């Protein structure tokens, strides 16, 4: 005798705790149509699909994608060309984001080098001023 496959569900509180989000943020994602939990009266019941989508949203936000880009990537899974198209698109977006971050890193490195040089000049000038007294 086999037991029926009972789908695991989550409450908004469980998902908020798991992903470190506020209830308000999760409701915002629902308002935007990024997730669509089942409604049982006033209670939201999240299924595996919602949890997976929420995980992808959090991951996308962490690497700097805006919500509209995350929506495009997530929605591609359910549309033609499906998962392979989604992955190709995601790889392109990752490459673009990586290039942007590399430029920022180069700018930060240049700024830090300029600050170090300026700091050395200031220290030298200060030493001269103090020695001249």
């Amino acid at each position: 005798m086999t037991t029926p496959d009972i789908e695991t569900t989550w409450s908004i509180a469980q998902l908020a705790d798991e992903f470190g989000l506020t209830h308000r943020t999760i409701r915002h994602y629902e308002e935007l149509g990024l997730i669509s939990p089942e409604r049982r009266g006033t209670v939201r019941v999240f299924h595996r699909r919602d949890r997976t989508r929420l995980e992808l949203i959090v991951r996308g936000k962490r690497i700097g994608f805006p919500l509209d880009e995350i929506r495009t990537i997530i929605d591609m899974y359910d549309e033609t060309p499906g998962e392979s198209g989604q992955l190709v698109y995601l790889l392109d977006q990752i490459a673009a984001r990586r290039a942007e971050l590399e430029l920022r890193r180069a700018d930060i490195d240049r700024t830090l080098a300029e600050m170090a040089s300026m700091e050395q000049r200031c220290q030298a000038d200060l030493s001269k001023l103090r020695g001249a007294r």
Side-chain angles (χ1 to χ4, degrees):
M1 179 173 183
T2 61
T3 56
D5 183 22
I6 299 172
E7 182 180 2
T8 302
T9 60
W10 295 265
S11 69
I12 193 169
Q14 290 171 315
L15 291 179
D17 288 345
E18 179 179 351
F19 292 107
L21 301 171
T22 63
H23 293 207
R24 183 177 181 180
T25 298
I26 294 174
R27 287 191 299 270
H28 178 66
Y29 295 156
E30 179 184 2
E31 289 169 11
L32 294 175
L34 292 167
I35 54 176
S36 16
E38 176 186 348
R39 299 295 290 240
R40 293 183 187 159
T42 59
V43 176
R44 289 170 174 83
V45 178
F46 295 85
H47 295 275
R48 186 168 310 285
R49 181 175 190 272
D50 300 306
R51 188 189 170 285
T52 299
R53 289 174 73 94
L54 192 56
E55 184 176 17
L56 293 171
I57 293 165
V58 169
R59 188 178 303 156
K61 292 292 290 175
R62 189 173 45 243
I63 61 176
F65 288 145
L67 286 175
D68 60 331
E69 195 63 46
I70 293 169
R71 174 195 305 281
T72 300
I73 293 166
I74 291 173
D75 288 347
M76 287 181 80
Y77 183 81
D78 295 327
E79 300 169 2
T80 304
E83 189 174 3
S84 66
Q86 178 192 42
L87 293 172
V88 168
Y89 182 81
L90 181 55
L91 286 170
D92 289 344
Q93 295 307 308
I94 288 171
R97 181 76 178 130
R98 178 178 284 127
E100 179 184 315
L101 289 173
E102 291 291 346
L103 285 173
R104 278 194 199 164
R105 181 176 18 201
D107 287 343
I108 290 169
D109 288 345
R110 275 192 300 278
T111 301
L112 288 172
E114 289 173 16
M115 290 175 77
S117 175
M118 184 181 293
E119 183 179 31
Q120 287 174 346
R121 287 193 311 266
C122 289
Q123 290 290 349
D125 290 347
L126 185 58
S127 291
K128 286 179 191 175
L129 288 172
R130 288 182 175 161
R133 290 184 185 169

